[in-house]
């Protein structure tokens, strides 16, 4: 990457230990059936996002991408590893986020907006608290951000329930932008919207990125949306990045068997019998993060798996095609299935 990274994640891991009630502890002590294993949601992830870049983060539900997004945004501390913005730690030694330069847009805008507070107060609250605007000047400040996301400034006096889903997501974006961030972590920002509205929000994010010089970490399970918005894509499986590379190259010639299976499993518009034959769901279920398979976590579903795959975890290494892939097929010892 020629442009220095603005956001970098260095060997980030996140483990969730089970919360045992007193009853659970007693049951466990007498040999009862109580789940005591930790969930390893994110495992040793290193990523960089260049200034002005959009990095897409893709994976199935439960792969750890939202947890990784929260860690990248500084709203969740990693168990180990570090997140840096322009080289400075995002989370301080006290475990708290120390910057407003990273903001987040979530999937469900209704859940993230307080139903009892007007849109104007919602947008003004953070900027006033952080000294970005005075209370006296906040009305004009709010009007400016509403206008930028395509909403009438008069909407500032209304409440969240008075808006459609797409409008509420615009409000959530305006609230994030009013904090004047450099980086926006978008976690499934269009997943709860109708397809036509999804396109409007994606186009709005592209426009805002151009006009404000923003950097995005864009998290989604939707490969089509990610392809449209991202310059590079990271594919995540059971807490690890398995492939990382420029969007077009990765979509046109995926290297990792999971990326290949993921792209082949996307339903397409069927115009002929051959199109129908191309739709191939990934075999098997995603394993539980409570007990990820040893070695390569994808080996239980991989068509190419060999003995090395269940014994040794592949590292994410640069390949000759200018991307990084975590698969023994590219380091020897495993033959590609015909
Ligand atoms: Fe498949 Fe083995 Fe590569 Fe994992 S390391 S993706 S199991 S070939």
């Amino acid at each position: 990457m020629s442009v220095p990274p603005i956001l970098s994640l260095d060997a980030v891991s996140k483990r969730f230990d089970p919360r045992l009630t007193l009853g659970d502890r007693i049951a466990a002590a007498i040999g009862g059936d109580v789940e005591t294993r930790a969930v390893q949601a994110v495992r040793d992830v290193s990523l960089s996002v260049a200034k002005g870049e959009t990095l897409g983060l893709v994976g199935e539900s439960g792969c750890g991408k939202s947890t990784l997004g929260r860690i990248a945004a500084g709203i969740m501390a990693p168990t180990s590893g570090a997140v840096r913005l322009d080289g400075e730690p995002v989370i301080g030694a006290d475990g708290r986020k120390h910057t407003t330069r990273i903001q987040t847009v979530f999937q469900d805008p209704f859940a993230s907006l307080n139903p009892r507070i007007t849109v104007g107060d919602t947008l003004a609250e953070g900027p006033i608290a952080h000294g970005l605007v005075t209370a006296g000047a906040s009305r004009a400040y709010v009007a400016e951000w509403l206008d930028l996301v395509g909403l009438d400034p008069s909407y500032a006096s209304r409440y969240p329930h008075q808006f459609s889903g797409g409008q509420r997501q615009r409000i959530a974006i305006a609230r994030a932008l009013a904090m004047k961030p450099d980086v926006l972590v978008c976690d499934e920002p269009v997943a709860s919207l109708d397809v036509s509205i999804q396109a409007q929000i994606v186009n709005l994010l592209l426009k805002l990125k151009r006009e404000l010089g923003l950097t995005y970490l864009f998290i989604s399970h939707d490969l089509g949306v990610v392809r449209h918005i991202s310059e590079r894509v990271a594919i995540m499986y059971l807490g690890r990045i398995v492939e990382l590379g420029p969007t077009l190259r990765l979509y046109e010639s995926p290297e990792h068997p999971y990326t290949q299976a993921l792209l082949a499993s996307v339903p397409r518009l069927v115009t002929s019998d051959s199109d129908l034959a191309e739709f191939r769901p990934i075999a098997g279920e995603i394993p539980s993060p409570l007990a990820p398979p040893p070695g390569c976590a994808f080996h239980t579903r991989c068509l190419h798996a060999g003995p090395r795959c269940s014994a040794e975890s592949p590292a994410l290494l640069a390949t000759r095609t200018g991307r990084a892939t975590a698969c023994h097929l590219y380091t020897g010892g495993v033959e590609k299935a015909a």
Side-chain angles (χ1 to χ4, degrees):
M1 186 189 311
S2 52
V3 184
I6 184 168
L7 179 68
S8 56
L9 281 69
D10 186 14
V12 164
S13 293
K14 182 69 184 180
R15 190 189 66 240
F16 294 105
D17 293 318
R19 280 194 193 157
L20 296 184
T21 62
L22 183 60
D24 289 337
R25 286 175 215 273
I26 293 169
I30 60 174
D33 190 14
V34 177
E35 184 56 75
T36 55
R37 289 173 295 181
V39 173
Q40 197 67 48
V42 176
R43 299 190 285 162
D44 196 23
V45 169
S46 295
L47 279 178
S48 297
V49 192
K51 185 167 170 47
E53 181 186 38
T54 297
L55 175 68
L57 181 60
V58 179
E60 291 167 281
S61 297
C63 73
K65 58 188 187 302
S66 287
T67 301
L68 188 62
R70 283 166 192 266
I71 292 170
I75 52 182
M76 181 185 282
T79 307
S80 59
V83 181
R84 293 188 179 85
L85 187 71
D86 280 334
E88 296 295 320
V90 168
I91 295 181
D94 58 358
R96 297 173 64 176
K97 183 178 173 182
H98 276 207
T99 179
T100 57
R101 291 177 58 207
I102 308 180
Q103 294 295 320
T104 317
V105 176
F106 294 106
Q107 174 178 347
D108 183 356
F110 201 49
S112 67
L113 297 171
N114 187 330
R116 284 185 283 274
I117 299 182
T118 65
V119 165
D121 287 346
T122 296
L123 262 64
E125 203 175 34
I128 292 173
H130 287 89
L132 297 171
V133 67
T134 61
S138 65
R139 208 169 153 178
Y141 189 78
V142 165
E144 206 178 297
W145 292 108
L146 285 175
D147 185 51
L148 196 71
V149 299
L151 293 174
D152 193 306
S154 69
Y155 290 176
S157 59
R158 297 187 187 178
Y159 290 87
H161 73 270
Q162 295 176 280
F163 296 92
S164 67
Q167 287 174 321
R168 281 198 287 264
Q169 196 56 293
R170 287 175 192 265
I171 294 165
I173 293 168
R175 179 180 56 180
L177 294 180
M179 295 300 290
K180 298 194 171 169
D182 295 302
V183 178
L184 215 51
V185 175
C186 303
D187 186 3
E188 299 275 12
V190 297
S192 63
L193 305 175
D194 290 340
V195 175
S196 60
I197 308 297
Q198 284 186 4
Q200 290 175 15
I201 298 297
V202 166
N203 288 338
L204 173 67
L205 287 169
L206 287 168
K207 176 187 98 101
L208 293 168
K209 184 187 157 190
R210 275 195 309 273
E211 290 178 2
L212 303 174
L214 296 165
T215 300
Y216 292 155
L217 176 60
F218 190 92
I219 301 165
S220 178
H221 68 282
D222 188 325
L223 287 154
V225 170
V226 168
R227 179 178 183 147
H228 188 68
I229 200 165
S230 311
E231 278 106 27
R232 284 191 308 143
V233 176
I235 307 287
M236 198 165 178
Y237 187 78
L238 269 185
R240 288 190 198 276
I241 303 299
V242 297
E243 185 165 358
L244 171 68
T247 305
L248 287 183
R249 221 176 295 163
L250 187 141
Y251 275 69
E252 279 165 11
S253 59
E255 286 184 340
H256 194 281
Y258 176 60
T259 315
Q260 293 167 359
L262 202 59
L263 286 166
S265 71
V266 177
R268 302 187 185 109
L269 280 179
V270 176
T271 54
S272 69
D273 288 349
S274 60
D275 280 350
L276 201 58
E278 279 181 26
F279 171 36
R280 295 188 299 274
I282 305 177
E285 294 285 319
I286 188 165
S288 167
L290 281 168
C296 171
F298 189 56
H299 84 259
T300 54
R301 304 166 85 188
C302 180
L303 298 174
H304 310 285
R308 188 181 173 197
C309 302
S310 54
E312 193 184 323
S313 178
L316 186 68
L317 298 173
T319 64
R320 275 174 291 180
T321 58
R323 62 190 108 162
T325 305
C327 174
H328 294 314
L329 284 174
Y330 300 92
T331 53
V334 177
E335 296 299 321
K336 222 169 184 175

